[in-house]
Amino acid sequence: LVDLTARWRAEPYARIQWFFAGDTDTAWNAGLRQRYTLERDWALRLDLSRERQEKQSWNTGLLSLHRYF
């Protein structure tokens, strides 16, 4: 977890998985989660990722607004 500024926090991540017993595929996932605090009870989150599994790849993005109470 990295604090880029007092309000902006980022977390890069990665995962890799090797299979055995006849399966030769390698699954992996990498991405970046970010949160920006708008006000005391409000935050904006952005999650971006890239994943590969069983010879298929896809990208995922999620933008969400959070209100804490």
Side-chain angles (χ1 to χ4, degrees):
L1 206 56
V2 178
D3 289 329
L4 301 171
T5 68
R7 293 177 167 245
W8 185 15
R9 179 173 279 183
E11 176 187 12
Y13 64 92
R15 173 189 63 84
I16 190 164
Q17 183 176 10
W18 289 281
F19 299 96
F20 60 93
D23 195 348
T24 59
D25 192 35
T26 299
W28 59 266
N29 178 318
L32 178 65
R33 295 183 190 111
Q34 300 180 68
R35 185 184 75 213
Y36 185 79
T37 303
L38 300 171
E39 292 181 10
R40 182 174 177 255
D41 295 334
W42 291 89
L44 192 62
R45 284 192 60 176
L46 176 63
D47 298 339
L48 302 170
S49 68
R50 172 99 173 147
E51 188 166 346
R52 179 167 175 85
Q53 187 172 4
E54 296 181 5
K55 298 180 179 40
Q56 295 181 2
S57 298
W58 58 92
N59 299 320
T60 304
L62 173 67
L63 179 63
S64 57
L65 179 64
H66 294 254
R67 181 169 194 298
Y68 304 99
F69 54 92

